[in-house]
């Protein structure tokens, strides 16, 4: 095995079942224990969670910090909305179309974007996200402009099944899709392909010297992350049956990058958990302290950076290692 990849493989540790199993049980039980409005908020959290997963793939695994994943998220959302309005309401068809459209968009954009690194990559992706949001606001014939697309027909979980009109049914559908996509991403990142991506992040020069086509690898991961974001956009439309430029603007990009930073850029579980924390803080601030949401989120970010440099995931790793430490004599 290539020495770079051997070193990265040696650092991998199995994720404990509690990291995924316990939160999944809690999320499933929520379908029968919380009120309908909370279920709708949780469904939106899950759709944003997939967007956060796509950001974590690029920022944490590939080392490409991004503010532009909201662009393929928007492509997936509007693709799903247009298909539903055209009569294509089967969930699998919508998810496949959203992922394909977002992946195609990411390939076209990524041919130029993956040439950049660091802050340049961040700013270029920010421009891509902003241009996408502006286009969504001005292309009235397709996107409905700033008014958005409303009255979107309900999604069917499979062909021939009744539409998802009940909040619990919608939430469970979104949860199942989110869990399946996140599991697929987790397995992919722990495969040899994931090792190659981490090798490009940590030892790009050595990878190129070893003959690896680093640019192709990064384009592939950028495309895959775009497809994940596209599925998140499809779930957004399934959950709220409405989409507008406000759902895909800079605020969403910043919120998700904040969540990934708080959760731990290299942890999918941390990113998903932090999205829930950030949305909960924002929702609570909107009701209890109107106008102070950004201030609270900024304070949360500062506290997380200073007290949790590795995010919530790093805190969890330290807690798991602590009992194993043997005091020196």
């Amino acid at each position: 095995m290539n020495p770079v990849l051997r070193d990265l493989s040696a650092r991998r540790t199995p994720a404990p079942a509690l990291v995924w199993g316990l939160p999944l049980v809690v999320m499933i039980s929520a379908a029968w224990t919380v009120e309908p409005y909370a279920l709708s908020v949780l469904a939106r959290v899950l759709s944003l969670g997939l967007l956060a997963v796509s950001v974590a793939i690029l920022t944490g695994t590939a080392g490409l910090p991004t503010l532009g994943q909201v662009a393929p998220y928007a492509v997936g959302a509007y693709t799903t909305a247009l298909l539903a309005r055209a009569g294509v309401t089967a969930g699998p068809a919508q998810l496949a179309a959203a992922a394909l459209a977002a992946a195609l968009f990411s390939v076209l954009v990524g041919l130029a974007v993956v040439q950049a690194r660091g802050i340049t990559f961040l700013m270029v992706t920010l421009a891509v996200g902003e241009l996408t949001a502006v286009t969504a606001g001005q292309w009235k014939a397709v996107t409905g402009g700033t008014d958005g697309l409303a009255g979107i027909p309900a999604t069917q979980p499979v062909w021939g099944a009744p539409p998802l009109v009940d909040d619990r049914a919608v939430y469970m559908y979104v949860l199942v899709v989110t869990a399946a996509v996140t599991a697929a991403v987790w397995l992919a990142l722990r495969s040899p392909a994931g090792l190659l991506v981490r090798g490009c992040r940590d030892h790009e020069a050595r990878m190129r010297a070893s003959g690896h086509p680093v640019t192709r690898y990064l384009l592939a991961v950028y495309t895959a992350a775009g497809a994940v974001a596209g599925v998140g956009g499809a779930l957004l439309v399934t959950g709220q049956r409405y989409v507008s430029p406000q759902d895909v603007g800079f605020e969403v990009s910043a919120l998700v990058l904040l969540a990934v930073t708080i959760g731990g850029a290299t942890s999918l579980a941390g990113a998903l958990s932090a999205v829930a924390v950030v949305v909960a803080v924002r929702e609570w601030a909107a009701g209890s302290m109107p106008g102070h949401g950004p201030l609270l989120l900024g304070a949360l970010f500062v506290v997380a950076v200073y007290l949790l440099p590795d995010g919530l995931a790093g805190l969890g790793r330290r807690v798991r290692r602590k009992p194993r430490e043997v005091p020196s004599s």
Side-chain angles (χ1 to χ4, degrees):
M1 182 187 288
N2 185 294
V4 175
L5 300 184
R6 187 187 304 116
D7 176 61
L8 290 167
S9 180
R11 285 190 247 163
R12 290 192 304 175
T13 55
L18 286 178
V19 172
W20 296 106
L22 183 58
L24 186 59
V25 170
V26 172
M27 295 295 286
I28 292 174
S29 64
W32 286 270
T33 56
V34 302
E35 59 185 17
Y37 173 74
L39 286 179
S40 66
V41 173
L42 286 174
R44 179 170 173 78
V45 166
L46 290 171
S47 70
L48 288 173
L50 281 187
L51 178 57
V53 166
S54 75
V55 171
I57 293 171
L58 292 176
T59 302
T61 304
L64 300 173
T66 176
L67 277 169
Q69 283 307 97
V70 75
Y73 182 72
V75 171
Y78 280 104
T79 298
T80 302
L82 292 172
L83 281 177
R85 287 163 67 98
V88 181
T89 58
Q94 291 181 348
L95 295 173
L100 182 60
L104 179 60
F105 174 87
S106 297
V107 167
L108 297 177
V109 172
L111 290 172
V113 170
V114 297
Q115 305 298 329
R117 296 291 185 275
I119 191 66
T120 304
F121 185 90
L122 184 71
M123 299 309 295
V124 171
T125 55
L126 171 61
V128 171
E130 285 297 281
L131 286 172
T132 303
V134 170
T135 301
Q138 295 183 352
W139 199 2
K140 293 185 179 180
V142 175
T143 65
T146 55
D147 294 331
L149 297 176
I152 299 172
T155 299
Q156 299 171 283
V158 293
W159 288 274
L164 299 170
V165 294
D166 178 69
D167 288 319
R168 181 185 299 168
V170 170
Y171 169 73
M172 288 302 298
Y173 171 80
V174 173
L175 177 60
V176 168
V177 174
T178 301
V181 173
T182 304
V185 170
W186 184 79
L187 289 172
L189 293 182
R190 293 179 64 81
S191 71
L195 287 177
L196 287 173
V197 176
R198 285 191 286 276
C200 295
R201 176 195 67 194
D202 296 336
H203 308 283
E204 181 174 347
R206 293 172 63 185
M207 291 288 286
R208 289 187 184 277
S210 299
H212 289 279
V214 171
T215 301
R216 291 184 191 175
Y217 293 162
L218 295 180
L219 178 59
V221 75
Y222 187 80
T223 302
V228 172
V231 174
L235 296 182
L236 171 72
V237 172
T238 297
Q240 64 185 30
R241 295 171 62 183
Y242 169 77
V243 63
S244 73
Q246 187 177 0
D247 295 314
V248 296
F250 173 74
E251 181 183 356
V252 176
S253 296
L255 182 147
V256 171
L257 185 58
L258 170 65
V260 170
T261 303
I262 293 174
T266 59
S267 170
L268 301 184
L272 287 167
S273 301
V275 166
V277 171
V278 169
V279 171
V281 170
R282 191 179 64 171
E283 289 287 322
W284 176 81
S288 303
M289 302 175 63
H292 292 79
L295 177 62
L296 288 176
L297 290 176
L300 180 63
F301 174 74
V302 171
V303 170
V305 168
Y306 277 96
L307 299 183
L308 303 172
D310 297 323
L312 295 175
L315 176 63
R317 285 192 291 268
R318 287 197 296 272
V319 169
R320 290 197 300 272
R321 284 198 297 262
K322 191 172 182 180
R324 302 176 190 174
E325 294 177 356
V326 179
S328 57
S329 56

